[in-house]
Amino acid sequence: MSSFAEILKEIGAFGLFQKRLVAILCISSVFVAFDVIGQVFTGMNFPHHCNTDWILDRGPNLTQERQKRLTLPLNKDGQFESCKMFKPVDLDLEIIEAYGINATTACINGSYFDAPKDASSIVTEFSLVCDRSSFIEASQAVYMAGLLVGALVLGQMADRFGRRFVVLLSLLLLFLFGVGSAFSPNVYVYMVLKFLGGISISGIVANGFVIGGEWSDSTKFAFCTIICHSFFPIGLMILSGVAYLIRNWRVLQMVLFGPLLPVVGIFYWILPESARWQITQGRKKEAIKAIRRAAKVNGREVPEDLLDKLEVEGTSKRGSMLDIFRISYLRKRAVIMSFVWFGTSLMYYGLSLSVGNFGLDIYLTQFIFGVVELPARLGTLVLIQHFGRRKCQAGMLTFGGAACLVILAIPEELPVAVTVVAVLGKFAATGCFSIVYVYTAELYPTILRQNGVGLNSMCARVAGILAPLIRLLDVYHHTIPMVMYGTIPIAAGCLCLLLPETHNTELQDHADLPKPETGTVEDPRKSLEKYQQPVKGTKL
């Protein structure tokens, strides 16, 4: 019997077929960046104050500054209040100017935004300020909930229906919901579309890199994964530039996601199914067809005797997420990696969504974040090849968490210093995300890989939901969010040391079990089948 690894050596472990595959998968990472970080720009806030045009009925020739002085109270810093105004009164302008108004109220007729010409965001169009300002964090949390649902549903779909089907479906849905959100009539429709878009993002993120990795030699799995993810920061840099040029959020959405339609066509034409997955599902004919296609692109010929002896599994041995918890060593890995994903995501999104609070221009800061992410992702490839996955994952988590805590020690009067430390933290958080995808995929066998990645990434999405909501805790004390963004990753880094190292190990296709007491080694291909047998017992 021959294995897929043997066939892969014959057709080329990383030839033109694999390189072309990785190249098109990189395209999807650009659009993932647009959707994940896009609300930093579509949800931009601007200086604002209550609409007090009622006083223009008394004095139509009032200047804007004079109008503010007569109708807006001052805060403790001597600035005009953003969410309070003096109550409208039925008095002449001369009396108001002479005696003023004492009674205040919340904004009655909406708000006025000091936005640049032609600039708009969901904040300005849906008036998400003052008592409605929490909608920004809520919409981001809803989006992360979509990522969570997608990780749960699409991960299992990929193990059952294939990686290619889920990636194509996810790209099509991202096009529909990304462009569709530009036509949202209110914030509630916008949040629903963001939720659905989040589901599709999970399908792309969790499955795209796996196809590239499963078509390559195990020594190239990390390379394929990190190269695919390295186009995420390129997407961030493109996003910053496009958002700087297009200040209208509706037009921005259409420009960012409109090009996805031809991309779906390219993926449908080029993207193959994972032959490794087809073999585990007993689809020998389909796997052989895909292998021959790959060999043709690589200019190789695969020996027919290897194909005839190709070892396949029956469809009855499909794995489910529950199988991870039935097998002790997989259960341990799942629990620890879930917390690692949680800490990584909390740190990453905590820093990313706070970009507007660091004191510098938001477009410049986000562009710098993108520039920093690129060497962070590529640099991790070198690190994990020399020092292994476990040490690098633990080190990056600890370094990033420490950076979040250091930010608290820097005075607000030094925005450049705050931004520098935040960039270092973002560097570490990005490195964590690059490593965690590689490490997680290598810890699970092929038959359960997408279930495992989906389960762990679900915990990352929970952190993504909590990250914007944790920012709301700064009303109690400004240090609370950063303390949480810093301490949890450090704890996750410590737990990471309990995991096994996967560097230079062959990818598992099946779940191995411990040796039985007789000393003979049980066939790993039968292990999952054993765990899936029904348990006999008395009826209740």
Side-chain angles (χ1 to χ4, degrees):
M1 302 298 282
S2 61
S3 67
F4 181 70
E6 293 173 321
I7 292 176
L8 200 57
K9 291 177 182 178
E10 293 294 330
I11 67 174
F14 199 70
L16 177 61
F17 175 82
Q18 286 88 350
K19 292 172 184 175
R20 186 181 69 176
L21 175 58
V22 172
I24 66 163
L25 290 172
C26 290
I27 298 173
S28 63
S29 293
V30 174
F31 291 96
V32 170
F34 292 168
D35 201 55
V36 172
I37 306 297
Q39 190 166 300
V40 169
F41 300 108
T42 59
M44 278 184 66
N45 203 348
F46 299 96
H48 59 90
H49 58 79
C50 296
N51 181 349
T52 58
D53 287 348
W54 64 270
I55 201 171
L56 296 181
D57 294 336
R58 282 81 171 168
N61 296 321
L62 284 173
T63 63
Q64 189 177 40
E65 186 64 25
R66 194 176 169 199
Q67 178 183 346
K68 288 181 181 179
R69 292 189 178 279
L70 292 175
T71 57
L72 298 175
L74 300 177
N75 58 26
K76 61 181 181 180
D77 298 322
Q79 304 295 320
F80 292 112
E81 288 280 3
S82 298
C83 299
K84 289 183 180 180
M85 59 181 284
F86 290 124
K87 282 186 177 180
V89 292
D90 191 16
L91 298 173
D92 293 333
L93 181 62
E94 292 77 10
I95 297 176
I96 294 175
E97 287 183 315
Y99 298 102
I101 307 173
N102 293 323
T104 61
T105 183
C107 298
I108 297 175
N109 298 313
S111 299
Y112 175 81
F113 294 88
D114 296 326
K117 184 181 179 182
D118 298 327
S120 69
S121 69
I122 60 173
V123 174
T124 61
E125 289 209 16
F126 304 141
S127 193
L128 305 183
V129 293
C130 303
D131 59 338
R132 288 169 57 85
S133 61
S134 59
F135 272 101
I136 294 295
E137 281 73 20
S139 64
Q140 193 65 39
V142 166
Y143 173 71
M144 294 297 173
L147 291 175
L148 187 152
V149 173
L152 175 63
V153 175
L154 297 181
Q156 296 191 65
M157 284 182 63
D159 273 341
R160 183 164 293 272
F161 301 110
R163 283 73 159 124
R164 181 177 185 269
F165 169 77
V166 171
V167 171
L168 290 175
L169 176 64
S170 300
L171 285 170
L172 180 60
L173 293 178
L174 181 59
F175 164 74
L176 295 175
F177 300 135
V179 174
S181 64
F183 300 93
S184 302
N186 54 58
V187 69
Y188 302 104
V189 173
Y190 173 83
M191 289 168 69
V192 169
L193 291 174
K194 288 296 290 182
F195 173 82
L196 296 173
I199 294 176
S200 64
I201 286 294
S202 279
I204 299 169
V205 171
N207 295 285
F209 79 96
V210 169
I211 294 180
E214 290 184 345
W215 265 109
S216 304
D217 183 73
S218 60
T219 60
K220 295 291 185 181
F221 191 92
F223 176 81
C224 295
T225 302
I226 290 176
I227 290 298
C228 288
H229 287 172
S230 293
F231 274 71
F232 185 91
I234 292 176
L236 291 183
M237 290 184 275
I238 296 172
L239 172 63
S240 300
V242 174
Y244 180 79
L245 296 173
I246 303 175
R247 303 297 179 95
N248 184 301
W249 78 273
R250 294 185 186 273
V251 177
L252 178 62
Q253 282 288 122
M254 290 186 283
V255 169
L256 290 177
F257 295 101
L260 259 176
L261 189 57
V263 169
V264 173
I266 294 172
F267 269 66
Y268 183 82
W269 176 50
I270 295 179
L271 189 69
E273 182 53 88
S274 168
R276 190 186 292 269
W277 172 81
Q278 289 174 329
I279 291 169
T280 64
Q281 301 302 300
R283 302 182 180 185
K284 184 175 180 178
K285 290 184 179 180
E286 295 174 30
I288 290 175
K289 183 179 179 180
I291 289 168
R292 284 176 173 157
R293 178 186 175 192
K296 183 179 179 181
V297 174
N298 284 343
R300 300 282 194 92
E301 289 187 6
V302 56
E304 289 297 323
D305 60 325
L306 280 180
L307 294 178
D308 293 337
K309 297 176 182 178
L310 184 62
E311 192 174 16
V312 298
E313 293 299 320
T315 56
S316 63
K317 295 183 182 180
R318 286 173 177 158
S320 70
M321 196 171 288
L322 291 177
D323 294 316
I324 295 174
F325 293 96
R326 292 190 180 108
I327 303 173
S328 60
Y329 80 95
L330 289 180
R331 181 168 61 245
K332 175 186 173 182
R333 295 178 184 183
V335 171
I336 294 176
M337 286 308 295
S338 292
F339 190 65
V340 169
W341 276 76
F342 183 88
T344 299
S345 181
L346 190 70
M347 176 172 57
Y348 182 88
Y349 289 112
L351 289 169
S352 297
L353 300 178
S354 300
V355 66
N357 301 332
F358 296 143
L360 294 182
D361 178 75
I362 188 172
Y363 299 98
L364 176 61
T365 306
Q366 191 61 61
F367 183 83
I368 292 172
F369 272 12
V371 171
V372 168
E373 281 206 21
L374 189 57
R377 291 183 184 274
L378 294 175
T380 54
L381 180 59
V382 178
L383 290 174
I384 63 177
Q385 297 293 62
H386 284 81
F387 302 104
R389 282 63 162 152
R390 181 178 57 185
K391 291 180 181 178
C392 290
Q393 186 77 69
M396 287 289 186
L397 280 165
T398 303
F399 182 81
C404 291
L405 298 179
V406 170
I407 289 174
L408 298 175
I410 303 174
E412 293 182 2
E413 296 77 21
L414 300 174
V416 175
V418 172
T419 303
V420 168
V421 176
V423 165
L424 292 174
K426 187 70 182 298
F427 182 94
T430 301
C432 285
F433 251 128
S434 293
I435 299 169
V436 79
Y437 274 102
V438 176
Y439 199 14
T440 305
E442 291 178 345
L443 284 171
Y444 294 105
T446 299
I447 200 169
L448 292 170
R449 184 164 293 124
Q450 287 312 103
N451 279 290
V453 173
L455 171 65
N456 295 147
S457 62
M458 254 177 24
C459 297
R461 307 319 164 198
V462 171
I465 294 170
L466 295 177
L469 301 180
I470 287 173
R471 292 172 59 196
L472 299 175
L473 297 177
D474 64 357
V475 298
Y476 301 104
H477 199 280
H478 72 280
T479 62
I480 294 177
M482 277 299 168
V483 167
M484 297 184 71
Y485 296 152
T487 55
I488 292 176
I490 292 174
C494 295
L495 281 177
C496 189
L497 296 173
L498 300 176
L499 293 169
E501 180 55 66
T502 59
H503 181 42
N504 286 334
T505 59
E506 186 67 37
L507 286 179
Q508 277 185 277
D509 284 334
H510 304 277
D512 295 330
L513 289 177
K515 294 181 180 180
E517 294 179 0
T518 58
T520 59
V521 180
E522 183 175 356
D523 186 351
R525 294 182 296 276
K526 298 179 181 179
S527 59
L528 188 59
E529 187 181 31
K530 173 184 175 181
Y531 271 79
Q532 289 176 328
Q533 294 298 323
V535 178
K536 296 180 180 180
T538 56
K539 295 183 179 180
L540 295 178

